[in-house]
Amino acid sequence: MVQTDAGWGAGPSARYEDLAAGFRPVFARIRATAVTRDRERTLPHEEIGWLKQAGFTTLRLARDAGGFDASLPELFNLLIELSQADPNVTNALRAHFGFTEDMLCSSSDAWRARWIGRIGDRETVGSGVSETGEAKVGQFDTVLRPDGAQWRLDGRKFYTTGSLFADWIHVSAQDEAGVAMVAAVPVRAPGVEILDDWDGFGQALTASGTAVFTNVGLGPELIKPDPERFPYAMAFFQLVHLATLAGIGRSAALDVTRLVAERQRVYSHGNGSRSGDDPQVQQVVGRVRGAAYAAGAIVLKAAESLERTYAVHRTGRSAEATAAIADVEVNQAVSVVTNLVLEATTTLFDALGASAVKGGHGLDRHWRNARTIASHNPRIYRDRTVGDFAVNGTAPPRQYRVGSA
């Protein structure tokens, strides 16, 4: 008998199985209680702690810095596996991995060395970029003001995903003249308040709510020397979402497979003496699994374009051209992957009876989580961006901003 959890394709490197083996027991522990956490709204503090202890948050660091020297395709395949266990946890670490990438690409040796040390010590970073106030597109109401040799931070952020679990918050702000600035803010600094007020119907355990900064004092070493993000930032952050969707698809496929195999009741007008032998039921299971497989394959193909961009950047040459192509490749994947997973997380119910909607199975969480992730950075604009590139050769936008018109 072939293992039913096989068939997802080989990893992106010859060493991938050895790399993943150290984390899979942690993924299994996280998955074992995912339904209960979702139902009881228990935030994954402990689960993220397990990953930190295992070194998962140091994946991209060199081995002599306490990491695993993971490539971007290896990272994204591991994020798919983590998302199969619990997509909330992946989203809670999205800002951390983005900050890590930004640090690795920084032109400042001092900034890079400082943060390699902190991340190597298993410290993590959450998000403090988005706002829901009256700031115009491209501007922030969050302000950094000089105070002698120090800085003072005031403002309010929303969608602060992962910050409640982190040691630091990556905060986008501007100075009093409106010039963009970036700071790393200690979560426990006086004047920092993080609220667990995210009430989305999906990804409910990501702590994606409000962070308030009131006269927070920051030393100059916590101000990023260059506020620009790494060249493939937009592609990276969006691809984390697509990896999360691919993992949701796998989780949905494994759940429907197990429930069909366990199901004893059949319909009089069905096609077998047990549900698992009914060809129509098998077809539904196969369709869900095929969607998850395709989503994962697309993610890994797009991850190769990010790896190429990172390789160019490391040579010291401009990575603008390869970064633009990486954006195109990821944007091309957005609607396809989201459609595959949204359909799969709905179709799976066709293989089961009415008992499948019982809360104890937690099958609804797959669609709720997928629909929530698919609502980030609206996919309609991704399709248009790809069309503009294909027809007119227009490069995708370097950054996406939300605000008042």
Side-chain angles (χ1 to χ4, degrees):
M1 173 75 84
V2 177
Q3 287 184 311
T4 57
D5 60 350
W8 297 116
S13 65
R15 69 151 189 174
Y16 179 77
E17 287 301 313
D18 290 335
L19 176 63
F23 301 113
R24 284 174 177 159
V26 183
F27 296 163
R29 290 176 70 192
I30 291 171
R31 179 172 169 79
T33 54
V35 174
T36 301
R37 281 197 308 280
D38 179 78
R39 190 168 62 245
E40 298 178 356
R41 202 182 181 281
T42 302
L43 296 178
H45 288 280
E46 187 175 21
E47 289 72 16
I48 291 173
W50 297 340
L51 290 168
K52 290 170 67 172
Q53 186 176 18
F56 190 77
T57 55
T58 72
L59 275 167
R60 287 282 285 156
L61 299 188
R63 290 190 178 278
D64 60 7
F68 294 83
D69 200 23
S71 69
L72 285 165
E74 288 171 338
L75 170 66
F76 279 99
N77 211 39
L78 286 167
L79 292 180
I80 292 172
E81 293 199 32
L82 174 59
S83 302
Q84 177 183 319
D86 187 344
N88 289 278
V89 177
T90 306
N91 208 21
L93 292 174
R94 176 173 174 255
H96 171 79
F97 284 114
F99 184 91
T100 300
E101 217 62 31
D102 198 58
M103 174 271 300
L104 291 174
C105 293
S106 174
S107 59
S108 169
D109 293 339
W111 179 263
R112 189 167 58 254
R114 185 177 300 121
W115 285 101
I116 284 175
R118 286 171 175 157
I119 293 171
D121 287 339
R122 314 293 170 85
E123 296 182 20
T124 55
V125 183
S127 177
V129 177
S130 299
E131 298 181 0
T132 56
E134 297 300 321
K136 296 185 182 299
V137 173
Q139 298 292 308
F140 294 108
D141 285 334
T142 302
V143 177
L144 275 162
R145 298 179 176 85
D147 180 19
Q150 305 293 303
W151 291 85
R152 293 286 168 180
L153 176 69
D154 288 280
R156 188 181 188 92
K157 297 288 186 177
F158 196 65
Y159 303 117
T160 55
T161 307
S163 291
L164 196 61
F165 313 113
D167 302 289
W168 301 85
I169 309 174
H170 167 252
V171 176
S172 294
Q174 59 188 45
D175 65 15
E176 293 174 297
V179 176
M181 299 186 72
V182 172
V185 180
V187 166
R188 294 166 187 82
V192 176
E193 182 182 14
I194 303 174
L195 306 176
D196 180 23
D197 58 349
W198 168 243
D199 64 351
F201 64 63
Q203 295 295 104
L205 309 181
T206 59
S208 297
T210 302
V212 182
F213 306 98
T214 306
N215 197 33
V216 180
L218 299 173
E221 75 282 358
L222 297 181
I223 307 300
K224 187 184 175 190
D226 180 359
E228 286 295 313
R229 302 179 105 173
F230 58 107
Y232 49 98
M234 298 312 300
F236 181 92
F237 284 109
Q238 188 62 40
L239 195 58
V240 174
H241 281 328
L242 298 188
T244 307
L245 286 166
I248 290 171
R250 284 194 192 179
S251 186
L254 293 176
D255 280 352
V256 71
T257 298
R258 173 179 53 81
L259 290 170
V260 166
E262 294 173 352
R263 185 170 171 79
Q264 299 298 315
R265 289 160 59 83
V266 296
Y267 289 96
S268 60
H269 49 294
N271 303 291
S273 60
R274 57 185 292 272
S275 183
D277 293 329
D278 188 321
Q280 287 185 278
V281 172
Q282 292 173 349
Q283 182 182 22
V284 174
V285 173
R287 186 174 298 156
V288 172
R289 189 180 176 94
Y293 175 82
I298 292 169
V299 168
L300 290 187
K301 187 64 179 177
E304 293 175 4
S305 69
L306 271 66
E307 183 72 10
R308 288 192 294 272
T309 308
Y310 175 66
V312 171
H313 181 79
R314 288 190 67 184
T315 67
R317 294 180 288 127
S318 172
E320 290 297 318
T322 50
I325 297 302
D327 281 336
V328 170
E329 290 198 35
V330 171
N331 285 343
Q332 286 173 165
V334 169
S335 286
V336 178
V337 171
T338 54
N339 285 342
L340 284 168
V341 177
L342 287 172
E343 181 179 2
T345 54
T346 298
T347 300
L348 69 86
F349 290 93
D350 294 334
L352 302 163
S355 60
V357 304
K358 293 175 64 177
H361 292 310
L363 296 180
D364 61 307
R365 81 189 192 281
H366 298 312
W367 183 88
R368 288 188 287 104
N369 289 332
R371 181 63 266 178
T372 300
I373 291 171
S375 298
H376 285 68
N377 307 319
R379 55 186 178 162
I380 57 172
Y381 301 129
R382 304 289 178 158
D383 291 337
R384 194 224 42 226
T385 295
V386 171
D388 195 12
F389 167 81
V391 175
N392 301 311
T394 307
R398 282 300 315 276
Q399 294 195 36
Y400 292 91
R401 297 294 191 200
V402 182
S404 301

